[in-house]
Amino acid sequence: MRTLTPHQALLLSILAALTTIGMKAGAWWLTGSVGFLSDALESLVNLAGASFALLMVSLAHAPADPEHPYGHGKAEYFSAAFEGMLIFVAALVILATAVERLIHPQPLGALGLGTVLSVGASLVNLVVARILFQVGRAHRSLALEADARHLMTDVWTTAGVVAGVGLASLSGWNWLDPLVAAGVAVNILREGWGLMHRSVDGLMDRALDDTEIRRIEAVLQSCCNGGGRFVNLKTRVAGAMQFAHVDLRVPGDWTVAHAHALADAAEEAVRTQTGTRLTTHIEPID
């Protein structure tokens, strides 16, 4: 799915959210199941999250300017924070509805077509989530990966709701339906907390993962020649952009031009081979 851009992938997510809202609302209307209602409410969160993610990805890809010389990559973290907030609100609404239905149980309507609609909507989310994961990883877009993880939570949520509604219908224990809805709300809260944590962690200038750091170190090692040495590597992530800083220690008898040429070569090699923007600080090896 590398042919899709992050913008195109998020437009696909918005279209999927609109489709699944209609399907899941239909399932709730046909069955009266509060479990299906909770599923439909989460799809509304999907729509809001994907729409805000599209806005933030557009901002993140805006070119650097005098006020933001390192670009706008961190805008993607606001998308995850916003989606996490929406998830918390949806979960509270679901919990309130589930508690009311536990206190006043109601029989469920015909489950046949409603269940088919809900399962169909879940399959739509599954396909779109896989696409978002692939495009997000290809473009290192945290906003896309967060949206994909939310959609996968929606898939598992639907599976739980269908199971709960089915058990309630077969057993006649109507309280099983709101009980499953409450479980869905707890699961949604967990996902919301995860998204909030990732967004805050990103805004705190988290370092690259160990695999990426080792790749950069290998490139720097290949650039060492004639006595130059790279030390004190530091890295950070800003949305889809990666930054690194390293000290280049050179013999004291090197000329400025010689040291600068090695620094330029290292920065270009790291950029082309890892996609990381490297800056170097030159100092004498002694």
Side-chain angles (χ1 to χ4, degrees), residues 18-66:
L18 291 170
T19 302
T20 56
I21 286 171
M23 296 174 72
K24 291 181 179 182
W28 167 62
W29 183 75
L30 288 170
T31 65
S33 164
V34 70
F36 285 145
L37 173 60
S38 71
D39 224 6
L41 287 174
E42 190 174 2
S43 289
L44 284 172
V45 175
N46 292 347
L47 175 60
S51 299
F52 192 72
L54 180 60
L55 177 62
M56 290 298 100
V57 166
S58 298
L59 178 58
H61 283 78
D65 54 46

Side-chain angles (χ1 to χ4, degrees), residues 235-251:
T235 65
R236 68 181 180 91
V237 183
M241 295 183 290
Q242 299 179 170
F243 298 94
H245 180 277
V246 71
D247 292 337
L248 170 57
R249 293 182 179 172
V250 299

Side-chain angles (χ1 to χ4, degrees), residues 2-273:
R2 289 179 180 272
T3 55
L4 288 181
T5 66
H7 293 79
Q8 291 169 335
L10 286 170
L11 286 173
L12 179 63
S13 181
I14 290 173
L15 179 61
L18 291 170
T19 302
T20 56
I21 286 171
M23 296 174 72
K24 291 181 179 182
W28 167 62
W29 183 75
L30 288 170
T31 65
S33 164
V34 70
F36 285 145
L37 173 60
S38 71
D39 224 6
L41 287 174
E42 190 174 2
S43 289
L44 284 172
V45 175
N46 292 347
L47 175 60
S51 299
F52 192 72
L54 180 60
L55 177 62
M56 290 298 100
V57 166
S58 298
L59 178 58
H61 283 78
D65 54 46
E67 294 183 350
H68 306 89
Y70 290 96
H72 304 78
K74 287 190 176 182
E76 292 198 19
Y77 295 117
F78 291 102
S79 173
F82 178 75
E83 194 161 357
M85 179 189 68
L86 290 177
I87 288 173
F88 271 95
V89 173
L92 292 176
V93 172
I94 294 169
L95 278 173
T97 306
V99 169
E100 193 278 332
R101 188 62 64 90
L102 276 170
I103 297 173
H104 304 99
Q106 296 183 19
L108 300 176
L111 299 180
L113 181 56
T115 303
V116 170
L117 286 172
S118 186
V119 171
S122 182
L123 291 175
V124 170
N125 282 334
L126 176 61
V127 172
V128 175
R130 290 178 62 87
I131 293 173
L132 287 172
F133 268 128
Q134 293 177 17
V135 178
R137 287 167 181 164
H139 293 273
R140 293 203 301 258
S141 172
L142 296 179
L144 262 67
E145 288 196 30
D147 201 37
R149 292 184 187 281
H150 188 201
L151 286 179
M152 284 306 302
T153 299
D154 191 272
V155 171
W156 290 113
T157 295
T158 300
V161 167
V162 169
V165 169
L167 288 172
S169 177
L170 291 173
S171 65
W173 298 339
N174 293 325
W175 52 267
L176 279 175
D177 173 43
L179 187 65
V180 169
V184 168
V186 172
N187 184 52
I188 293 174
L189 282 172
R190 181 188 61 81
E191 179 65 16
W193 169 255
L195 287 175
M196 293 290 287
H197 180 267
R198 285 195 294 273
S199 65
V200 172
D201 205 27
L203 290 170
M204 295 294 288
D205 278 346
R206 184 177 180 83
L208 299 180
D209 59 47
D210 292 340
T211 301
E212 287 296 319
I213 291 175
R214 285 194 295 269
R215 287 181 63 202
I216 295 172
E217 289 175 338
V219 175
L220 292 175
Q221 183 63 34
S222 69
C223 293
C224 287
N225 61 76
R229 187 168 75 241
F230 294 96
V231 297
N232 299 331
L233 176 65
K234 298 180 179 66
T235 65
R236 68 181 180 91
V237 183
M241 295 183 290
Q242 299 179 170
F243 298 94
H245 180 277
V246 71
D247 292 337
L248 170 57
R249 293 182 179 172
V250 299
D253 59 354
W254 277 27
T255 65
V256 173
H258 189 178
H260 193 267
L262 177 56
D264 282 348
E267 291 174 2
E268 179 63 17
V270 169
R271 185 188 65 80
T272 55
Q273 296 183 44

